[in-house]
Amino acid sequence: MSVLIKPIITEKMTADSELHNRYGFIVDPKANKIQIKEAVEAAYGVSVNKVRTMNYGPTRKSRYTKTGIQHGKTNAIKKAIIDVAEGDIIDFYSNL
């Protein structure tokens, strides 16, 4: 099971990482805070102070097509905000 799915790279998270040393990840919905902390420390070689998680439910969507109304939903996701120790940096742009 891969705990970390992808990093969240938005303007808000970039500003948060520069000012408060916090980074965001989309993680596996079944992962707990201890597993997320160990995965980030192993993948990026930093020491994690705090992990905060948020569960997002699926978004319901409707489409109007020739055959009628199509109902569906997106996948449920879990986000994790990681507080890294002072002096540690995670560089997402180094391997682009």
Side-chain angles (χ1 to χ4, degrees):
M1 171 174 96
S2 177
V3 175
L4 300 176
I5 296 174
K6 66 179 181 178
I8 300 171
I9 302 175
T10 59
E11 279 187 45
K12 187 174 182 179
M13 281 310 307
T14 304
D16 216 16
S17 66
E18 291 171 357
L19 296 175
H20 303 292
N21 224 12
R22 290 185 196 132
Y23 299 92
F25 292 93
I26 294 179
V27 297
D28 183 34
K30 296 178 183 176
N32 60 25
K33 292 182 180 184
I34 297 167
Q35 293 170 337
I36 295 168
K37 179 180 178 178
E38 291 172 354
V40 170
E41 287 176 345
Y44 295 103
V46 296
S47 58
V48 176
N49 288 341
K50 190 176 192 180
V51 177
R52 290 174 289 165
T53 58
M54 298 168 274
N55 283 309
Y56 284 87
T59 304
R60 312 235 182 261
K61 295 187 176 186
S62 300
R63 275 182 283 163
Y64 300 96
T65 62
K66 286 191 266 183
T67 59
I69 299 174
Q70 301 289 322
H71 297 287
K73 63 180 183 174
T74 60
N75 294 331
I77 60 169
K78 186 174 193 176
K79 291 182 184 180
I81 307 298
I82 311 295
D83 286 351
V84 179
E86 196 66 36
D88 288 343
I89 296 174
I90 297 175
D91 188 16
F92 296 128
Y93 303 107
S94 63
N95 55 0
L96 290 179

